[in-house]
Amino acid sequence: MGSTSSGKFNDYPPSGEKKGGSGGSQGGAASDGCAQDLSNLQLDEVGRSAYFLALSALPNAGTAISLRGTLLGPRLSIDTQGGESIGFLPTEYNHLVVCMKKGFTYSGEVTSSSQKPIPSVRINLRHSAP
Amino acid sequence: MTLSSPCLIGQVFIDFVESSGSEPMMRLGGIMHAARTLWAMGVTFGFAYTAPDYLSQDAEDFAARYGASHVRQIGTISRCPNVVIVGDGRETGSQRYEYLLRAQSQCNLHSEALKEIIGARDFTDFLIFPGGFPLYPVLDELNSTRADVFADINFIAADLHDLSALHRKFASLILSTSSELFLAKLGGDPGRVSQELAAYADSILLKENRGGSRLFRSGTTAWLGIPAQIRPALHSVGVGDCFNSVFVVQRRLHGDKPALAYASFAAAEYASYFDDPAIKQSVAAVLQIDSQDIQHLGGVELPWEARRDINIYLAAPDFDYVDTTPLDALADALKYHNFSSWRPVREHGQAQKDSSKAEKLQLAEADLKLLGNCGLLVAVLLYDDPGTLIEIGVALDKMMPVIVFDPFNRATNLMLTELPVLVSPDLDKVVAEVFVQAAKINNENQ
């Protein structure tokens, strides 16, 4: 039975030295929550969104949307192409703020919307790497 | 607003992290986690470490690469390799740490080196990680400085009274709800934390894992709370040290609340990567968030003591002829995080083939009554057990949030895959979702 690790430290030294061995798969993109696509995600506070308050209506399935590049409220706002907020991402996705600072952008479309029992919108969101 | 010039004091370890599905990970730990974080923040620092001599060269090389302006070995560890083996790296439940030969570790403190590094520069903050070295002489030496002194006392070995050796108050004492100190010495009671540590510090920072953090002002019951940022974690090793470092540095720039928020975001990033460039890029991105925005972004805030009031019904075929290993792991994880979870078969008993109809009905009714008293249901799909599926349906009908832990990827039916708030084979994600849903229930109850 042999050793299972590389036998040396797995840190990626800041000096820029290329790391050999077998530990390379453990960091970086494989675990990167920024390269994340979200499907059929329900938005928060749709009933209080600028879009709903202005139109008393919700965007139809298929409407193109994107994650606003700046915070609103401060929350992560999902906007129509016209720039109107239709709701917020749940706070479990707050790390996308960090991802946007890294240059990631997110866009997609409404998958469903309903005014009853309370206004609700579901979306798909796909990432675009910098 | 002043810039922080911190100095770290504590042990250097080798962390050996086992993780299912990938090769073991080995890197320098202990105060090297804090050093790595300060490097990621672009902050120079002092590095006063203890370690066995065989680790000295690597410790000093890495500290220098991370930007330490002053490095001194203030103690030599003998009879112990300073190797920590970490079982569940993600802290889904209780972490299995094995600190090899810790009981026979001895430290020969180098008083001159300690004096030299403490006086080497006008450090504004000292961040100490007690454990494995004599605390009294170190604190006694720090008394001569005007710096703010912070101590992460999770692994403090000595009597708490040793903290008085500073002869003035710490800026903050920092501990976690998962520490022995909190659970055993302080009875798992956040109220006692602020009371019993008040004599030693201006504030106490209690870190509550995925439920956020609270900064208690000494002598009061008031606290400043900041939510946790919950995202898929790769590991939890050194994440608390990252939190501490960001907090210490950012509070000088922005004050306590934004500093806690930056620390919370940075810690979530630290838990998501093992490689240094990704950590640096992520921490730098966190620091770009506006200080007003970051403290109001929200997240999951669920105090330790509030979790006892969250009753969780565990729906599963919890029978004596079934291998319940995944259910046991879930129940252990929920207990570790102080939730009240209920296993109905354990509570009410198991129907037998020869049980009468009346006995079976009584058991079924007792289970449903228990379910009705719970706020959240987590189902474990060990196989296609009709009882579990019926309980899911009953909970959904009651508008109760339902989480499905599906360790064998059995869920294909659309009612089962689409109606719960989460269906996942990953226990870590299941536990994270419990925090999210429980925090919502707690907010609604307030």
Side-chain angles (χ1 to χ4, degrees):
Chain A
M1 185 173 168
S3 294
T4 54
S5 65
S6 63
K8 60 180 183 178
F9 292 119
N10 293 87
D11 291 87
Y12 286 64
S15 60
E17 175 191 325
K18 294 248 181 183
K19 195 174 78 66
S22 53
S25 64
Q26 296 200 345
S31 63
D32 198 333
C34 295
Q36 190 180 19
D37 297 333
L38 306 173
S39 65
N40 219 24
L41 182 71
Q42 186 161 344
L43 299 182
D44 284 351
E45 303 198 26
V46 171
R48 285 191 275 182
S49 69
Y51 187 99
F52 186 75
L53 292 176
L55 302 175
S56 296
L58 296 172
N60 295 322
T63 303
I65 50 96
S66 61
L67 178 59
R68 185 181 291 204
T70 54
L71 294 169
L72 177 67
R75 292 284 300 272
L76 284 163
S77 173
I78 296 295
D79 292 0
T80 62
Q81 283 189 318
E84 280 179 305
S85 175
I86 61 171
F88 297 131
L89 286 187
T91 57
E92 299 95 273
Y93 299 94
N94 274 351
H95 64 277
L96 297 190
V97 183
V98 183
C99 297
M100 288 197 292
K101 295 290 184 190
K102 293 182 188 175
F104 282 81
T105 57
Y106 299 86
S107 60
E109 64 283 326
V110 172
T111 54
S112 65
S113 63
S114 169
Q115 293 214 25
K116 292 181 179 177
I118 55 167
S120 67
V121 172
R122 287 180 178 272
I123 60 160
N124 284 342
L125 207 57
R126 290 176 292 279
H127 75 278
S128 178
Chain B
M1 187 171 93
T2 54
L3 291 175
S4 175
S5 173
C7 181
L8 305 171
I9 302 177
Q11 295 203 77
V12 170
F13 293 98
I14 292 175
D15 289 341
F16 184 82
V17 184
E18 297 175 305
S19 184
S20 59
S22 58
E23 289 184 356
M25 174 81 191
M26 187 162 57
R27 64 178 179 173
L28 287 172
I31 61 169
M32 202 60 83
H33 292 292
R36 192 177 286 114
T37 303
L38 293 172
W39 162 73
M41 298 177 78
V43 173
T44 31
F45 56 94
F47 191 81
Y49 75 98
T50 67
D53 281 337
Y54 85 94
L55 271 180
S56 299
Q57 185 178 338
D58 286 312
E60 296 191 7
D61 283 354
F62 271 84
R65 287 185 197 179
Y66 287 138
S69 59
H70 299 80
V71 179
R72 289 285 188 284
Q73 184 173 10
I74 62 163
T76 300
I77 304 290
S78 58
R79 303 188 65 209
C80 174
N82 273 31
V83 172
V84 177
I85 295 174
V86 185
D88 173 11
R90 296 190 298 179
E91 204 172 5
T92 300
S94 179
Q95 277 183 304
R96 288 187 296 111
Y97 275 114
E98 186 59 42
Y99 171 9
L100 302 181
L101 297 174
R102 60 190 176 281
Q104 63 176 44
S105 174
Q106 293 177 347
C107 179
N108 177 25
L109 197 69
H110 308 315
S111 301
E112 281 306 310
L114 174 68
K115 193 183 292 261
E116 277 172 24
I117 192 163
I118 285 175
R121 182 174 164 181
D122 195 11
F123 292 115
T124 57
D125 303 277
F126 285 90
L127 176 55
I128 312 173
F129 297 81
F133 61 90
L135 184 58
Y136 197 97
V138 174
L139 294 181
D140 194 45
E141 192 65 42
L142 284 174
N143 176 250
S144 62
T145 74
R146 292 181 304 163
D148 283 342
V149 182
F150 301 79
D152 183 320
I153 54 175
N154 279 320
F155 298 104
I156 193 165
D159 191 303
L160 284 178
H161 187 69
D162 271 9
L163 294 169
S164 62
L166 186 61
H167 306 301
R168 57 187 164 96
K169 284 197 169 185
F170 287 80
S172 280
L173 290 174
I174 305 166
L175 75 163
S176 158
T177 49
S178 56
S179 65
E180 276 296 301
L181 173 62
F182 174 75
L183 293 170
K185 285 189 187 168
L186 297 169
D189 179 357
R192 280 182 60 190
V193 169
S194 62
Q195 282 169 11
E196 297 193 22
L197 298 175
Y200 304 111
D202 291 329
S203 64
I204 320 298
L205 175 55
L206 181 66
K207 295 187 290 188
E208 303 179 273
N209 201 278
R210 299 175 210 212
S213 306
R214 282 181 283 176
L215 187 70
F216 291 89
R217 307 285 181 201
S218 289
T220 74
T221 54
W223 72 70
L224 191 62
I226 204 75
Q229 299 303 320
I230 292 192
R231 53 171 297 184
L234 187 64
H235 69 97
S236 70
V237 186
V239 172
D241 305 350
C242 168
F243 189 110
N244 298 344
S245 311
V246 175
F247 171 64
V248 167
V249 171
Q250 291 296 90
R251 66 187 284 276
R252 286 198 172 268
L253 292 170
H254 303 289
D256 285 337
K257 189 164 187 185
L260 289 168
Y262 280 114
S264 179
F265 268 83
E269 294 298 319
Y270 197 86
S272 302
Y273 303 99
F274 271 124
D275 61 301
D276 284 352
I279 290 170
K280 188 174 179 71
Q281 185 194 23
S282 296
V283 172
V286 167
L287 298 183
Q288 287 176 35
I289 302 172
D290 180 82
S291 63
Q292 285 300 315
D293 286 344
I294 200 165
Q295 60 182 311
H296 296 116
L297 262 166
V300 173
E301 201 165 358
L302 188 62
W304 173 264
E305 65 276 19
R307 299 175 207 168
R308 296 302 303 165
D309 298 329
I310 306 294
N311 289 296
I312 303 171
Y313 189 93
L314 300 184
D318 194 6
F319 308 129
D320 56 13
Y321 53 84
V322 174
D323 179 358
T324 57
T325 303
L327 171 63
D328 299 340
L330 170 67
D332 288 348
L334 295 177
K335 184 180 177 189
Y336 172 76
H337 292 296
N338 207 34
F339 290 106
S340 295
S341 64
W342 301 92
R343 298 173 71 159
V345 176
R346 298 275 177 98
E347 295 296 320
H348 306 131
Q350 179 176 327
Q352 304 299 320
K353 278 186 178 173
D354 58 355
S355 295
S356 69
K357 193 169 174 57
E359 287 169 330
K360 288 178 181 173
L361 180 63
Q362 192 178 16
L363 286 175
E365 286 179 344
D367 288 357
L368 286 179
K369 186 178 177 191
L370 175 61
L371 195 157
N373 290 334
C374 291
L376 175 62
L377 181 141
V378 184
V380 186
L381 298 187
L382 297 176
Y383 59 89
D384 287 334
D385 170 50
T388 304
L389 300 174
I390 288 171
E391 287 167 329
I392 290 172
V394 170
L396 289 169
D397 188 55
K398 290 177 181 289
M399 306 296 283
M400 189 185 288
V402 171
I403 298 167
V404 176
F405 177 30
D406 186 14
F408 308 117
N409 287 308
R410 303 191 69 92
T412 52
N413 174 277
L414 68 90
M415 303 287 270
L416 187 55
T417 58
E418 301 308 313
L419 296 180
V421 292
L422 176 75
V423 179
S424 175
D426 185 337
L427 180 58
D428 189 67
K429 286 184 181 165
V430 168
V431 170
E433 189 64 30
V434 167
F435 270 92
V436 171
Q437 297 301 327
K440 287 180 183 171
I441 293 168
N442 188 51
N443 288 339
E444 286 165 7
N445 291 344
Q446 283 180 343

